[in-house]
Amino acid sequence: GDQVKQSPSALSLQEGTNSALRCNFSIATTTVQWFLQNPRGSLMNLFYLVPGTKENGRLKSTFNSKESYSTLHIRDAQLEDSGTYFCAAEAGSGTYQRFGTGTKLQVVP
Amino acid sequence: EAAVTQSPRSKVAVTGGKVTLSCHQTNNHDYMYWYRQDTGHGLRLIHYSYVADSTEKGDIPDGYKASRPSQENFSLILELASLSQTAVYFCASSYTETLYFGSGTRLTVL
């Protein structure tokens, strides 16, 4: 529930623009995962992060464990980026991931 | 790429009936999970397992049982289905890191 807070809850982006999604954690978090649920409902993993930054194409994600947040940056948004983005926090080895409530992104022409 | 297969894809059940959702993975992952997704709640963990013949409770286990008869198979059982259990259910597996999800089962309890 409130242990992983995502913002914004919804977002509309013009094609070609940039934006950032954020997750704040109220639990001690060791790793973060980001997922995209496409409009058909399928969940795809985007990033698995220990503290630090990863980049993949137009997506870049950062996890700052000291300040308890993670961000997902989308550069040059495309129509196929539309869907709901979830972050999930893991509190340590032997525990399980807790999900945020998602950011619903719509990319418009 | 991990392959996680859920069956059925969708199901309509009657209140008080028994429902079994099945999940099969082919990548030798130790961990398997059952999540439910409701609008506005994201994904919430029901049960998980890290080894065959053993299951653990997640955040919302009430009203659900789980069974892990083998490393590849993990079932979610609703002994007495209720209206509040209408949701989309996702199975996932992992080794130590990334979760790999199945396509989901849409369950409607009437």
Side-chain angles (χ1 to χ4, degrees), chain A residues 10-89:
Chain A
L11 180 63
S12 182
L13 275 184
Q14 197 99 37
E15 205 174 1
T17 60
N18 308 329
S19 190
L21 314 181
R22 186 174 173 109
C23 276
N24 289 305
F25 312 114
S26 59
I27 52 173
T29 299
T30 56
T31 65
V32 176
Q33 295 188 54
W34 282 92
F35 298 88
L36 168 60
Q37 186 170 36
N38 66 24
R40 286 170 293 134
S42 297
L43 282 152
M44 300 175 291
N45 54 69
L46 299 175
F47 292 105
Y48 177 90
L49 292 157
V50 294
T53 298
K54 282 189 177 179
E55 196 162 351
N56 184 5
R58 296 179 292 102
L59 301 180
K60 183 169 81 171
S61 185
T62 297
F63 170 34
N64 185 322
S65 59
K66 290 181 182 176
E67 296 184 25
S68 299
Y69 74 89
S70 178
T71 55
L72 177 68
H73 292 263
I74 303 172
R75 176 174 53 82
D76 184 24
Q78 302 297 305
L79 297 177
E80 61 264 28
D81 296 332
S82 296
T84 303
Y85 290 80
F86 291 99
C87 64

Side-chain angles (χ1 to χ4, degrees), chain B residues 87-98:
Chain B
V88 179
Y89 292 84
F90 286 96
C91 175
S93 74
S94 70
Y95 178 49
T96 58
E97 299 182 350
T98 305

Side-chain angles (χ1 to χ4, degrees), chain B residues 11-19 81 83 107-110:
Chain B
K11 183 171 181 65
V12 178
V14 295
T15 305
K18 182 176 179 179
V19 177
L83 294 174
L107 175 65
T108 302
V109 182
L110 302 176

Side-chain angles (χ1 to χ4, degrees), chain A residues 33 37 41 45 86 96 98, chain B residues 37 45 48 59 97-99:
Chain A
Q33 295 188 54
Q37 186 170 36
N45 54 69
F86 291 99
Y96 51 83
R98 285 190 168 83
Chain B
Q37 184 174 31
L45 184 67
Y48 68 103
D59 289 328
E97 299 182 350
T98 305
L99 287 171

Side-chain angles (χ1 to χ4, degrees), chain B residues 12 22 67 72:
Chain B
V12 178
S22 300
S67 173
E72 297 81 14

